[in-house]
Amino acid sequence: MIDKPRVRRTVDLHLLPSAMTVLSICAGLTSFKFALDHKPIPAMALIAAAAILDALDGRVARILDAQSRMGAEIDSLADAVNFGVIPALVVYVTMLSEWPVGWAVVLLYAVCVVLRLARYNAQQDDGTLPPYAKEYFVGMPAPAGAVSMIGTIALKLQFGEGWWTSIWFLALWITGTSLLMVSALPMKKFHTLAVPPNLAAPLLALLAIIAAAAVLQPYILIWVIIISYVCHIPFALRSRRWLAKHPEVWEDNSKQRRAARRATRRAQPNRRSMARLGLRKPGRRL
């Protein structure tokens, strides 16, 4: 009797990205359940888990070559739920349910998330955008908005009651976050950044510090992330303006662009000094 060779069964991994997206939706909805049970810490943790799954599913889809129109639509709907509806409801239940104006501000936030995602999806089909546009978000991305929202809960858990839990501060903060998401301000996509080899070791050390802070002082870490992200906006705006004025470097890599910027600064050594003194170049009209 001749034994037939066993045929190995292949595992189809093309559904893995969509499965991760569905898991992120489940994490987001379960977060709201914990908020209703007055357990804000698990609620915040599940929103963070949804953000991690959202960051990974797209990369897994590209690695497995499993990108599809349906997967993109599921991902967009998941973002609207996890980073728009759920953070708004969690913050409302935890912080704002006693004030009538609280519902208005979280409603504004949820609507702005949906508008921001609709604009993002429309821009994916816009063939008129310059090549460097893919390196920037237009307005604050939805996951960053969700982190900004749960940051209000983190302040209460870390410091208790205070002016940071007042309706006026919360309304101002949530409204500002909502407007940033629908604004036209450029926000750098961090996965497009190239790390120079000489900074690899310091970056790994910084990641170790962040991992330790996530265990020891998670609420403080949330606000360090929020403040750092807001502070990067002027640099992203300046970088995008420089790229818009230098089309010759649009196809260059990060190292070549840095060299071009250094060459531009060396060609104009007195530019900053003239700007500080209010001077103009000869020949320019007053």
Side-chain angles (χ1 to χ4, degrees), residues 77 87 112 115 117 128 146 183 251 275:
L77 293 173
C112 287
L115 293 176
L117 291 171
T128 63
S183 71
E251 303 297 334

PDB file of all heavy atoms in Angstrom, residues 77 87 112 115 117 128 146 183 251 275:
ATOM      1  N   LEU A  77     -15.456  53.143   9.010  1.00  0.00           N
ATOM      2  CA  LEU A  77     -16.585  53.070   9.943  1.00  0.00           C
ATOM      3  C   LEU A  77     -16.106  52.792  11.366  1.00  0.00           C
ATOM      4  O   LEU A  77     -16.652  53.340  12.339  1.00  0.00           O
ATOM      5  CB  LEU A  77     -17.566  51.993   9.487  1.00  0.00           C
ATOM      6  CG  LEU A  77     -18.315  52.280   8.176  1.00  0.00           C
ATOM      7  CD1 LEU A  77     -19.115  51.070   7.751  1.00  0.00           C
ATOM      8  CD2 LEU A  77     -19.226  53.487   8.342  1.00  0.00           C
ATOM      9  N   PRO A  87     -15.553  57.801  22.377  1.00  0.00           N
ATOM     10  CA  PRO A  87     -14.963  58.780  23.301  1.00  0.00           C
ATOM     11  C   PRO A  87     -15.951  59.850  23.742  1.00  0.00           C
ATOM     12  O   PRO A  87     -15.934  60.276  24.901  1.00  0.00           O
ATOM     13  CB  PRO A  87     -13.805  59.381  22.500  1.00  0.00           C
ATOM     14  CG  PRO A  87     -13.460  58.345  21.502  1.00  0.00           C
ATOM     15  CD  PRO A  87     -14.751  57.691  21.139  1.00  0.00           C
ATOM     16  N   CYS A 112     -17.700  66.359  14.251  1.00  0.00           N
ATOM     17  CA  CYS A 112     -16.443  66.784  13.636  1.00  0.00           C
ATOM     18  C   CYS A 112     -15.576  65.585  13.247  1.00  0.00           C
ATOM     19  O   CYS A 112     -14.881  65.627  12.230  1.00  0.00           O
ATOM     20  CB  CYS A 112     -15.673  67.710  14.581  1.00  0.00           C
ATOM     21  SG  CYS A 112     -16.393  69.366  14.721  1.00  0.00           S
ATOM     22  N   LEU A 115     -17.047  64.331   9.980  1.00  0.00           N
ATOM     23  CA  LEU A 115     -16.702  65.242   8.889  1.00  0.00           C
ATOM     24  C   LEU A 115     -15.240  65.102   8.506  1.00  0.00           C
ATOM     25  O   LEU A 115     -14.884  65.128   7.323  1.00  0.00           O
ATOM     26  CB  LEU A 115     -17.007  66.682   9.301  1.00  0.00           C
ATOM     27  CG  LEU A 115     -18.479  67.038   9.494  1.00  0.00           C
ATOM     28  CD1 LEU A 115     -18.614  68.465  10.005  1.00  0.00           C
ATOM     29  CD2 LEU A 115     -19.246  66.866   8.192  1.00  0.00           C
ATOM     30  N   LEU A 117     -13.320  62.425   8.835  1.00  0.00           N
ATOM     31  CA  LEU A 117     -13.118  61.161   8.136  1.00  0.00           C
ATOM     32  C   LEU A 117     -13.688  61.220   6.715  1.00  0.00           C
ATOM     33  O   LEU A 117     -13.095  60.651   5.784  1.00  0.00           O
ATOM     34  CB  LEU A 117     -13.781  60.024   8.919  1.00  0.00           C
ATOM     35  CG  LEU A 117     -13.121  59.685  10.253  1.00  0.00           C
ATOM     36  CD1 LEU A 117     -13.979  58.704  11.046  1.00  0.00           C
ATOM     37  CD2 LEU A 117     -11.726  59.099  10.033  1.00  0.00           C
ATOM     38  N   THR A 128      -5.173  65.448  -7.823  1.00  0.00           N
ATOM     39  CA  THR A 128      -4.518  66.737  -8.048  1.00  0.00           C
ATOM     40  C   THR A 128      -3.585  67.136  -6.911  1.00  0.00           C
ATOM     41  O   THR A 128      -2.903  68.160  -7.018  1.00  0.00           O
ATOM     42  CB  THR A 128      -5.583  67.839  -8.233  1.00  0.00           C
ATOM     43  OG1 THR A 128      -6.349  67.974  -7.015  1.00  0.00           O
ATOM     44  CG2 THR A 128      -6.531  67.488  -9.369  1.00  0.00           C
ATOM     45  N   ALA A 146      -9.263  61.300  19.941  1.00  0.00           N
ATOM     46  CA  ALA A 146      -9.730  60.417  21.011  1.00  0.00           C
ATOM     47  C   ALA A 146      -8.807  60.483  22.215  1.00  0.00           C
ATOM     48  O   ALA A 146      -9.262  60.487  23.362  1.00  0.00           O
ATOM     49  CB  ALA A 146      -9.837  58.982  20.495  1.00  0.00           C
ATOM     50  N   SER A 183     -10.006  71.446  10.914  1.00  0.00           N
ATOM     51  CA  SER A 183      -9.195  72.539  10.405  1.00  0.00           C
ATOM     52  C   SER A 183      -8.383  72.082   9.197  1.00  0.00           C
ATOM     53  O   SER A 183      -8.355  70.892   8.859  1.00  0.00           O
ATOM     54  CB  SER A 183      -8.259  73.060  11.501  1.00  0.00           C
ATOM     55  OG  SER A 183      -7.233  72.118  11.768  1.00  0.00           O
ATOM     56  N   GLU A 251      10.267  64.491  -4.807  1.00  0.00           N
ATOM     57  CA  GLU A 251      10.529  63.068  -4.988  1.00  0.00           C
ATOM     58  C   GLU A 251      11.746  62.579  -4.202  1.00  0.00           C
ATOM     59  O   GLU A 251      12.087  61.392  -4.273  1.00  0.00           O
ATOM     60  CB  GLU A 251      10.730  62.756  -6.482  1.00  0.00           C
ATOM     61  CG  GLU A 251       9.561  63.152  -7.371  1.00  0.00           C
ATOM     62  CD  GLU A 251       8.289  62.397  -7.036  1.00  0.00           C
ATOM     63  OE1 GLU A 251       8.405  61.267  -6.499  1.00  0.00           O
ATOM     64  OE2 GLU A 251       7.186  62.918  -7.313  1.00  0.00           O
ATOM     65  N   ALA A 275      14.915  89.554   9.738  1.00  0.00           N
ATOM     66  CA  ALA A 275      13.509  89.466  10.136  1.00  0.00           C
ATOM     67  C   ALA A 275      13.306  90.021  11.532  1.00  0.00           C
ATOM     68  O   ALA A 275      12.311  90.694  11.824  1.00  0.00           O
ATOM     69  CB  ALA A 275      13.045  88.018  10.062  1.00  0.00           C
TER      70      ALA A 275
END
